[in-house]
Amino acid sequence: MKDRIFESKENYLETILILHNRSGEVRSVDIASEMEFSKPSVSVAMKNLREEGCITVDKSGYITLTESGREIAERVYERHLLFTSWLISLGVPEDIAAEDACRIEHCLSEESFAAIKQYVRNNGKGK
């Protein structure tokens, strides 16, 4: 259960990063729409992320990643991008590659990710 909670947290933070990069502003309703979750579910998650110090929410409801939240989001997003592009380069259709990357990005150790990242950099694009 704890792993699922952490995975959910990572997904929310990654989504906030993506939405911020896309439009510069993020609100709970944007997250709910992007992730296809209910507004109440997102509201509970944002409360938890705020209490954990991963986000701040201003008076107008705009959400900003804190330094620690941004670090987690960028780490997960880097994994997502690498795994998606790698799977596509192996011939996996883009939509399936993105879904699989989302699963893989949460369960790999830092050591395994670093090794795969190095391998992809050395072998994936140079052929």
Side-chain angles (χ1 to χ4, degrees), residues 18-54:
I18 291 167
L19 290 171
H20 183 269
N21 289 344
R22 188 183 301 156
S23 66
E25 297 178 333
V26 182
R27 296 168 301 150
S28 289
V29 66
D30 304 320
I31 297 165
S33 176
E34 182 77 13
M35 297 180 82
E36 299 180 352
F37 289 168
S38 72
K39 292 175 190 175
S41 294
V42 172
S43 180
V44 169
M46 293 307 103
K47 178 181 180 273
N48 292 337
L49 290 174
R50 191 176 61 246
E51 288 174 355
E52 292 177 27
C54 293

Side-chain angles (χ1 to χ4, degrees), residues 1-89:
M1 178 79 167
K2 191 170 187 173
D3 288 340
R4 284 192 89 136
I5 292 169
F6 193 70
E7 181 177 333
S8 176
K9 173 182 169 178
E10 288 179 337
N11 282 333
Y12 276 111
L13 294 172
E14 179 184 24
T15 299
I16 293 166
L17 177 68
I18 291 167
L19 290 171
H20 183 269
N21 289 344
R22 188 183 301 156
S23 66
E25 297 178 333
V26 182
R27 296 168 301 150
S28 289
V29 66
D30 304 320
I31 297 165
S33 176
E34 182 77 13
M35 297 180 82
E36 299 180 352
F37 289 168
S38 72
K39 292 175 190 175
S41 294
V42 172
S43 180
V44 169
M46 293 307 103
K47 178 181 180 273
N48 292 337
L49 290 174
R50 191 176 61 246
E51 288 174 355
E52 292 177 27
C54 293
I55 63 168
T56 59
V57 182
D58 71 14
K59 293 177 192 173
S60 300
Y62 290 100
I63 298 165
T64 305
L65 293 168
T66 63
E67 187 176 332
S68 65
R70 178 169 289 281
E71 285 175 13
I72 295 167
E74 288 177 348
R75 178 181 52 80
V76 174
Y77 192 49
E78 176 189 26
R79 288 171 172 234
H80 183 84
L81 293 175
L82 181 112
F83 290 132
T84 300
S85 64
W86 184 40
L87 291 168
I88 290 169
S89 77

Side-chain angles (χ1 to χ4, degrees), residues 83-123:
F83 290 132
T84 300
S85 64
W86 184 40
L87 291 168
I88 290 169
S89 77
L90 296 173
V92 177
E94 187 173 343
D95 58 332
I96 294 171
E99 285 179 29
D100 288 345
C102 196
R103 290 182 191 98
I104 297 167
E105 69 196 24
H106 301 288
C107 60
L108 237 61
S109 68
E110 291 295 327
E111 295 81 5
S112 292
F113 177 70
I116 291 170
K117 183 176 166 181
Q118 187 65 37
Y119 176 82
V120 169
R121 283 187 176 159
N122 291 338
N123 301 297

